[in-house]
Amino acid sequence: MGTTASQLGKDLLSEYQELTFLTKQEILLAHKRFSECLSKEDKNLPTPRVPMEKVLSLPELKSNPFRKRICHVFSTSDMKDGSLTFEDFLDLLSAFSDSATLEIKSHYAFRIFDFDDDGTLDSGDLEKLVNCLTGETDDTRLTPEEMRQLISNILEESDIDKDGTVNLSEFQHVISRSPDFVSSFKIVL
Amino acid sequence: MEVVGEEDGDTEGKRKNGHSKKEEKKEDNERGEKVQKKKKNKRIETSSEQESSEEVEDEVEEEGEEKPEVLSPEELEKLKEAVDERKKRISTLRGKPWPMRKKLLTLRESHEFVEKYEGALGKGKSRKLYAYKVMMLKKWMKFQRDFENFKTACVPWEMKIKEIESHFGSSVASYFIFLRWMYGINMILFGLTFGLVMVPEALMGRPYGSMPRKTVPRAEEANAMDFAVLWDFGGYAQYSVLFYGYYNSQRAIGWLKFRMPLSYFLVGVGTVAYSYMVVIRTMARNANEDGGGDDNSFNFSWKMFTSWDYLIGNPETADNKFASITTSFKEAILEEQESRKDDNIHLTRFLRVLANFLVLCCLAGSGYLIYFVVRRSQKFALEGLESHSWWERNEVNMVMSLLGMFCPMLFDVISALENYHPRIALQWQLGRIFALFLGNLYTFIIALMDEINLKREEEEVLKLNMTIWEASLYNGTLGANSTAPPITVHPADIPRGPCWETMVGQEFVRLIVSDTMTTYITLLIGDFLRAVLVRFLNYCWCWDLEAGFPSYSEFDVSGNVLGLIFNQGMIWMGAFYAPCLPALNVLRLHVSMYLQCWAVMCCNVPQERVFKASGSNNFYMAMLLVILFLSTLPAIYTIVTIPPSFDCGPFSGKSRMFDVIQETLESDFPAWFGKMFSYASNPGLVLPFLLLMVLAIYYLQSTSKSYKQANLELKKKLQTGPTADLHAAEQNEENKKKKKMAALKAAMDLEEAQNARSEAPRQQRNNNASQQSYRDRGEKKGGEHRAHQGKSNHQIPPSATRPPAPRGHGLPGPLPGNQRQPAPSVQRVPNSQRH
């Protein structure tokens, strides 16, 4: 089960190829990068987990404002601490890969933006989302007035059943019409 | 890796195997049983395992053969369905948003099921064939996957582009991706021209010096090897496979009987056809992905959900991105809040008209300048090139390149008058640069046409002179009988006609070379030198060079893309007359890639205002298509109207270049082919065919229009929400009821009136009528009851009670008059969701 010290089994590799949108080289590269993040003792565990801090220090994720959410969404840890196994890592790369379908990307994007994990994007989620996007410093943040206006505009556009929240299908509907979602929702190792 | 142990033939029965080559028959009763989850073996055979498995299999087979086949056809069908369903599940697994563990388990389970029962599907004697087919299919899929992997690995410059993406975002990277795509196209064009035109002539044609067209004339021999002459593509470079004039018009050359003129013509046509095909195919693909993105309806949502570029890995770029996102939010909010303040609209309009007028003046001025310079260069050529300085000799190319460099800056300054939104201003700018380049190019071509005509007149004169010259050769030996031996004259001494095709090819090559040089020098000076100055002079300068003027330069995506497109246009124009152009372009693009990648990483800063590149993707493709069309026009015109030179090139001696096709049809194909072709090209056949195509285009256009209408309708319905639809429906119902009631009332009145006239015999009928009317009203009431029931049904999630029919089924949504209850738990799926 899982990976042996430094090699991926051949059949496991072909299974991963079938189950993800990654090519063989990408999976091997991912394996290499993942192993670099592991500490010595962890390497001998059957299913090693990389703690969230280590994942956040990867250069591809370091500058991403949603990095913590990404870790939480893809993590299958029981303790909800955002740690990733290799298979979680592959899931992450597959969803963010170039050949992933729009459905997969929009599904995961929805989960990432859903800060409180309740299955819908309500105003609290949207507000946190805007704050993530506008950066940390005060002079780049929006005023409360602007924030309110923005959120009401968004809900007006996307909330079809007018229930005050954006659910998965409404989100997917909005996203499917966007011409640059697929090309910007990409992470490549 | 565990090795799967051998199992008992009776219980679970089946052994996992790399291929289901000699699978066993299944047992019926096991169909429903859950299969044990096991690790799969290596898919590809390893010999030892194979042998052992085969041995064991033989054993089991022996046992198994004794069991009879107990599958009835329906069971077989069901089994096939189950297997197919599993296979489908396997192929769609990667698109499911499940965690990897779950996917792995499902995959293994499905694989086991398929392998276990697949073999049983083949019947009797054909089982081996079926199993063989299955194995081949698996191998084929594996091969496909490996090939995909290989193809991705072959793509060049992937790491470079990825680095640029992480530093500058996707819009700058899109330029490099476009460059790489162009490189691919040019490689193919290079392959065609090199392999089918240049190499055969070089290997199998007559060698250098054997014919007048292949030899440097005596007069030029002295400096034919000079670097200056070679750089100008004269001398030995001119009399080589690089240019049109070298090629011999012999119909078939070498032992292969290679049809050189035919090949030259077809390669010329083929390059254009291939380019059209590739550009249109890419446009269609981009259009599909766009999904009709002409929407402004999701402005804010898109800004919110799609504006972050996940490829950014550099903190500085990320900061820039944050700032740009904030600015765009604030701008959008402001625009939404207040309508544009249209004070002084007259001033704005006047300024815009003034700006356009100035731009037109610029364009006209540059066009005239080019024309003037080209005529002057013709004058210089007549006087002899040596008496002029380097500048005067290369005037045309330098002027064109300089115009291309400075006019866009001028347009930029002028556009400050116009006061447009930045995105619109960018589009205007691109349009103007496009017009500039186009105008320059066409002026250049017109001037070139003049030169061609000049050369052709020269040719006529020369033809006359040739006869005189030949006579002068034989003058000395006329004393002897007319059986005088032919005098051998060295090819270098024979006067030859001015080859206008080679001249055209040379002009284009020179243009490309000077354009390339200008670009590189601009890059080095404008970007690199500027960066060096800003960096080092900053220590000792009064104001902050890095923050204020001039600061580091940004990468101008649109300008570079336009430059690339126009460069390609020139290649397409000149490739027929100079087969070396695609090769030159491949070299140029290769060097450009490395140089620009280096320059971008070294001297540029990320842009402050980031515009998404993807929206303009199809815009650039459309421009490329227009340029392709416009640049093949002159070439086609010259091919069709101007007769080729009489003594140079593969079409010498023919009256028109396309005569080579006629000649091939007559001599190389059987007679009936030629006849058939002449029938097919009969106007009586061609015109109806054209008419048919026009009709087909019209039909497709009108259907696409009607689809767009339907689309818009659906969109509107979705946006105005279920309420408007609802209200409309209710309104309808109300009207219908009212009408019904009115009709009934009228009927009743009529009845009463009739009753008043004849009471007794009609009473029964009256009763019936009233009963009927009561029944009608009862039905109506019943309908309302039903409607109420329908409403109560809607409290439950619709998927439980309703079949998944479109919303027209029954009454849509909750009824009027009852307050709408928010149903947060009801996940209603809009119909237009894409599957």
Side-chain angles (χ1 to χ4, degrees), chain A residues 11 15 17-18 20-21 23-24 64 87 91 102 104 133 140 157-158 172 174 177 180 184 186, chain B residues 40 43 90 94-95 97 100-101 104 108 145 149 295 300-302 310 322 326 612 614 833-834:
Chain A
D11 53 344
E15 280 181 337
Q17 273 186 63
E18 235 182 297
T20 63
F21 293 99
T23 64
K24 189 159 99 165
N64 197 317
E87 294 181 344
D91 269 335
L102 181 69
I104 276 267
L133 280 175
T140 51
E157 285 174 355
S158 321
Q172 281 180 325
V174 171
R177 312 213 57 96
D180 33 45
S184 65
K186 242 198 292 188
Chain B
K40 271 169 55 142
R43 276 252 215 117
I90 292 178
R94 57 160 71 141
M100 181 67 89
R101 267 293 115 188
L104 263 177
R108 287 171 187 170
R145 208 180 326 138
N149 284 351
D295 271 317
F300 281 100
S301 311
W302 286 348
Y310 287 73
F322 287 140
T326 315
K612 284 293 183 180
S614 57
Q833 184 183 12
R834 272 200 349 214

Side-chain angles (χ1 to χ4, degrees), chain A residues 1-2 9-26 47 59-60 62-66 70 76 87-88 90-91 94 96 101-104 107-109 111-113 119-121 126-127 129-130 132-136 139-143 145-147 149-151 153-158 160-163 166-181 183-189, chain B residues 1-2 39-44 90-91 93-101 103-104 107-108 111 141-142 145-146 148-150 152-153 158-159 162 165 170 289-316 318 321-323 325-326 329-330 332-334 336-337 612-615 711 715 718-719 721-722 820 822-824 826-830 832-835:
Chain A
M1 271 270 267
K10 201 163 172 198
D11 53 344
L12 200 57
L13 185 60
S14 68
E15 280 181 337
Y16 286 149
Q17 273 186 63
E18 235 182 297
L19 290 177
T20 63
F21 293 99
L22 304 170
T23 64
K24 189 159 99 165
Q25 292 94 330
E26 287 169 349
T47 48
E60 288 83 6
K62 209 167 39 165
S63 315
N64 197 317
F66 301 111
I70 292 177
T76 53
E87 294 181 344
D88 299 336
L90 277 187
D91 269 335
S94 168
F96 279 102
T101 58
L102 181 69
E103 286 78 24
I104 276 267
H107 178 97
Y108 279 113
R111 285 178 59 190
I112 290 175
F113 293 150
T120 59
L121 300 180
L126 293 175
E127 194 172 327
L129 184 56
V130 172
C132 270
L133 280 175
T134 53
E136 308 299 310
D139 53 345
T140 51
R141 283 194 178 222
L142 297 182
T143 66
E145 176 62 38
E146 289 169 336
M147 177 75 76
Q149 178 79 19
L150 181 61
I151 292 183
N153 283 338
I154 290 173
L155 285 177
E156 196 181 300
E157 285 174 355
S158 321
I160 297 177
D161 56 4
K162 304 291 175 218
D163 59 356
V166 181
N167 60 26
L168 178 62
S169 27
E170 289 162 353
F171 181 78
Q172 281 180 325
H173 174 73
V174 171
I175 288 296
S176 68
R177 312 213 57 96
S178 157
D180 33 45
F181 174 68
S183 54
S184 65
F185 199 75
K186 242 198 292 188
I187 292 181
V188 181
L189 276 188
Chain B
M1 274 178 295
E2 329 167 28
K39 203 148 174 243
K40 271 169 55 142
N41 258 341
K42 276 196 193 156
R43 276 252 215 117
I44 302 313
I90 292 178
S91 61
L93 256 185
R94 57 160 71 141
K96 292 230 179 8
W98 294 343
M100 181 67 89
R101 267 293 115 188
K103 284 197 275 194
L104 263 177
L107 179 76
R108 287 171 187 170
H111 262 303
M141 279 176 44
K142 178 168 193 306
R145 208 180 326 138
D146 284 342
E148 285 292 327
N149 284 351
F150 173 71
T152 349
E158 192 63 35
M159 291 316 291
K162 194 216 137 210
E165 257 173 342
S170 51
E289 283 172 5
D290 252 354
D294 54 334
D295 271 317
N296 273 327
S297 43
F298 294 121
N299 219 355
F300 281 100
S301 311
W302 286 348
K303 275 202 215 298
M304 181 85 128
F305 297 132
T306 66
S307 58
W308 181 259
D309 195 350
Y310 287 73
L311 284 164
I312 294 181
N314 185 17
E316 189 188 309
K321 193 79 172 120
F322 287 140
I325 291 179
T326 315
F329 272 146
K330 293 198 178 180
I333 295 174
L334 221 61
E336 182 84 4
Q337 271 177 352
K612 284 293 183 180
S614 57
N711 219 0
K715 223 193 281 185
L718 206 65
Q719 292 204 334
R820 260 176 354 104
V826 175
Q827 300 265 343
R828 232 179 311 173
V829 177
S832 60
Q833 184 183 12
R834 272 200 349 214
H835 294 290

Side-chain angles (χ1 to χ4, degrees), chain B residues 5-134:
Chain B
E6 179 199 340
E7 296 232 62
D8 255 317
D10 337 279
T11 46
E12 293 314 321
K14 301 309 160 265
R15 283 219 14 203
K16 270 351 124 277
N17 200 329
H19 2 229
S20 48
K21 211 178 200 174
K22 295 173 194 159
E23 270 308 319
E24 296 316 305
K25 305 176 213 135
K26 61 160 248 348
E27 263 92 346
D28 298 33
N29 42 11
E30 288 171 14
R31 232 183 295 159
E33 264 178 64
K34 225 167 180 223
V35 183
Q36 226 179 7
K37 299 188 178 56
K38 279 200 206 81
K39 203 148 174 243
K40 271 169 55 142
N41 258 341
K42 276 196 193 156
R43 276 252 215 117
I44 302 313
E45 49 285 56
T46 54
S47 52
S48 56
E49 262 183 34
Q50 169 110 355
E51 278 163 27
S52 64
S53 69
E54 280 188 20
E55 284 169 24
V56 176
E57 261 184 307
D58 285 338
E59 262 178 69
V60 184
E61 211 175 52
E62 278 173 12
E63 293 177 24
E65 227 121 75
E66 295 161 18
K67 297 194 188 118
E69 285 243 339
V70 285
L71 287 173
S72 64
E74 304 94 51
E75 286 168 343
L76 207 62
E77 266 307 305
K78 267 195 254 170
L79 185 61
K80 193 167 189 304
E81 268 175 37
V83 168
D84 281 341
E85 189 234 317
R86 293 299 160 102
K87 276 196 193 156
K88 198 167 79 107
R89 201 192 293 180
I90 292 178
S91 61
T92 54
L93 256 185
R94 57 160 71 141
K96 292 230 179 8
W98 294 343
M100 181 67 89
R101 267 293 115 188
K102 187 169 171 192
K103 284 197 275 194
L104 263 177
L105 291 177
T106 322
L107 179 76
R108 287 171 187 170
E109 182 198 60
S110 306
H111 262 303
E112 288 187 7
F113 186 87
V114 166
E115 282 186 12
K116 186 169 167 176
Y117 295 117
E118 200 155 30
L121 284 178
K123 301 186 252 222
K125 291 187 197 108
S126 61
R127 191 201 300 166
K128 283 228 169 95
L129 185 66
Y130 183 81
Y132 177 75
K133 268 197 289 183
V134 163

Side-chain angles (χ1 to χ4, degrees), chain B residues 442-477:
Chain B
Y442 263 71
T443 325
F444 177 73
I445 289 172
I446 292 176
L448 216 58
M449 289 301 240
D450 283 344
E451 268 194 58
I452 294 179
N453 286 333
L454 263 176
K455 284 247 148 69
R456 288 182 55 213
E457 284 165 21
E458 238 184 82
E459 201 180 300
E460 296 298 314
V461 169
L462 197 90
K463 267 200 231 175
L464 289 172
N465 285 345
M466 274 287 265
T467 44
I468 302 176
W469 177 82
E470 267 181 13
S472 73
L473 270 189
Y474 285 96
N475 250 347
T477 56

Side-chain angles (χ1 to χ4, degrees), chain B residues 255-463:
Chain B
W255 55 274
L256 268 179
K257 296 274 178 271
F258 190 79
R259 308 280 193 263
M260 191 66 225
L262 182 69
S263 151
Y264 196 97
F265 190 78
L266 286 182
V267 162
V269 171
T271 48
V272 172
Y274 171 75
S275 310
Y276 266 113
M277 201 186 72
V278 165
V279 173
I280 291 182
R281 189 176 65 178
T282 316
M283 276 185 83
R285 212 182 287 159
N286 282 347
N288 272 346
E289 283 172 5
D290 252 354
D294 54 334
D295 271 317
N296 273 327
S297 43
F298 294 121
N299 219 355
F300 281 100
S301 311
W302 286 348
K303 275 202 215 298
M304 181 85 128
F305 297 132
T306 66
S307 58
W308 181 259
D309 195 350
Y310 287 73
L311 284 164
I312 294 181
N314 185 17
E316 189 188 309
T317 321
D319 285 337
N320 260 2
K321 193 79 172 120
F322 287 140
S324 125
I325 291 179
T326 315
T327 321
S328 94
F329 272 146
K330 293 198 178 180
E331 244 180 39
I333 295 174
L334 221 61
E335 266 180 45
E336 182 84 4
Q337 271 177 352
E338 44 181 274
S339 60
R340 226 168 249 264
K341 289 208 183 95
D342 278 326
D343 52 357
N344 258 339
I345 192 172
H346 295 292
L347 183 64
T348 325
R349 275 206 200 128
F350 171 70
L351 283 176
R352 284 180 186 169
V353 167
L354 180 66
N356 279 325
F357 177 70
L358 284 174
V359 164
L360 274 172
C361 286
C362 268
L363 289 175
S366 82
Y368 178 69
L369 188 61
I370 292 182
Y371 190 75
F372 173 70
V373 163
V374 172
R375 297 314 295 267
R376 221 159 75 111
S377 80
Q378 284 170 4
K379 212 167 28 111
F380 290 158
L382 284 175
E383 293 166 13
L385 282 173
E386 297 76 28
S387 55
H388 296 282
S389 62
W390 176 87
W391 170 261
E392 278 161 343
R393 259 179 287 155
N394 290 303
E395 215 173 19
V396 180
N397 308 320
M398 294 322 298
V399 164
M400 279 188 76
S401 311
L402 285 174
L403 274 177
M405 207 163 65
F406 286 117
C407 278
M409 289 190 225
L410 198 58
F411 292 156
D412 224 353
V413 168
I414 293 180
S415 75
L417 275 177
E418 288 182 327
N419 201 14
Y420 276 126
H421 184 272
R423 182 170 292 148
I424 303 186
L426 185 70
Q427 284 175 352
W428 274 97
Q429 176 80 347
L430 286 177
R432 285 180 186 141
I433 299 180
F434 185 77
L436 173 77
F437 280 146
L438 210 59
N440 290 353
L441 208 56
Y442 263 71
T443 325
F444 177 73
I445 289 172
I446 292 176
L448 216 58
M449 289 301 240
D450 283 344
E451 268 194 58
I452 294 179
N453 286 333
L454 263 176
K455 284 247 148 69
R456 288 182 55 213
E457 284 165 21
E458 238 184 82
E459 201 180 300
E460 296 298 314
V461 169
L462 197 90
K463 267 200 231 175

